[in-house]
Amino acid sequence: MVLDTSAFVAGFDPLSVEAEQYVVPAVIDEFIGDSSTKMRFNLAMESGKLKVKKPDDALLTKVETAAATIGDLAVLSVTDIQILALALQLKIENRLPLIITDDYAIQNVARHLGIEYAPLATFGIRKPIKWIRYCPACHQRYPAEYKNKYCILCGMKLKRKPRKISIKSKKGGTL
């Protein structure tokens, strides 16, 4: 299991599960104060049940490329990218990683990479999402991986929305 911060916030207790469990170093920095969440995390670390592992740098780039392709890179944090890269690393090592997260962007990229995930406090995503970027003023469209934050035509800040997929009717036409 690769645990996101949201797993701990949702009440996940690493001591109640037998599976091997990992977090990335950046998850440690996301805990604030002396909350019960942080205490549960620290207890799991001290018991050896929860291990901190840094993913290979090359896999960070691979995750960023995949996230850019489907349009989720802009909403993923450094921690999110590390979590995905660690899960990908475990997959490459012929293990069966399971990311525990309620973050929809992590779930979407994980699905794209063929990595299993499980939400705790949400229903999770039902189907993969590919995004497009667009200008809300002039309606110019851009590919998901478009790097500029502003429209080249009118200068307005770009937004994103799920790409519509045409549905073929039984007679072969598009609905």
Side-chain angles (χ1 to χ4, degrees), residues 105-125:
I106 292 176
Q107 293 173 15
N108 196 40
V109 176
R111 179 173 261 175
H112 183 75
L113 293 169
I115 298 169
E116 296 289 323
Y117 58 86
L120 291 174
T122 65
F123 291 113
I125 62 170

Side-chain angles (χ1 to χ4, degrees), residues 5 9 16 30 45 47 53 58 60 62 74 121 134 150:
T5 308
V9 172
S16 67
E30 292 187 346
M45 291 284 298
S47 72
K53 187 169 179 156
L60 294 171
K62 189 168 185 167
Y134 72 99
Y150 297 94

Side-chain angles (χ1 to χ4, degrees), residues 24-106:
V24 295
V27 165
I28 298 167
D29 299 332
E30 292 187 346
F31 292 108
I32 300 170
D34 291 325
S35 67
S36 61
T37 302
K38 185 175 182 180
M39 289 189 297
R40 191 170 48 248
F41 176 85
N42 288 336
L43 183 59
M45 291 284 298
E46 290 168 7
S47 72
K49 188 74 176 170
L50 184 62
K51 299 171 185 85
V52 178
K53 187 169 179 156
K54 184 180 180 292
D56 292 341
D57 289 339
L59 296 176
L60 294 171
T61 303
K62 189 168 185 167
V63 166
E64 289 171 350
T65 301
T69 300
I70 60 173
D72 275 323
L73 184 59
V75 297
L76 290 174
S77 69
V78 171
T79 305
D80 298 342
I81 293 168
Q82 287 181 7
I83 287 166
L84 287 157
L86 179 56
L88 185 58
Q89 182 174 327
L90 294 171
K91 182 179 177 184
I92 291 169
E93 294 171 358
N94 289 322
R95 295 157 108 186
L96 300 172
L98 175 68
I99 300 175
I100 307 297
T101 185
D102 284 318
D103 184 305
Y104 288 163
I106 292 176

Side-chain angles (χ1 to χ4, degrees), residues 2 8 16 18 24 30 38-39 52 54 62 72 85 100 132-134 139 148 157 159 163 165 168 173-174:
V2 179
F8 295 98
S16 67
E18 289 299 317
V24 295
E30 292 187 346
K38 185 175 182 180
M39 289 189 297
V52 178
K54 184 180 180 292
K62 189 168 185 167
D72 275 323
I100 307 297
I132 60 165
R133 299 191 68 200
Y134 72 99
H139 306 288
N148 197 342
K157 188 169 182 172
K159 293 188 174 193
R163 188 178 76 195
I165 300 170
K168 300 255 181 187
T174 302

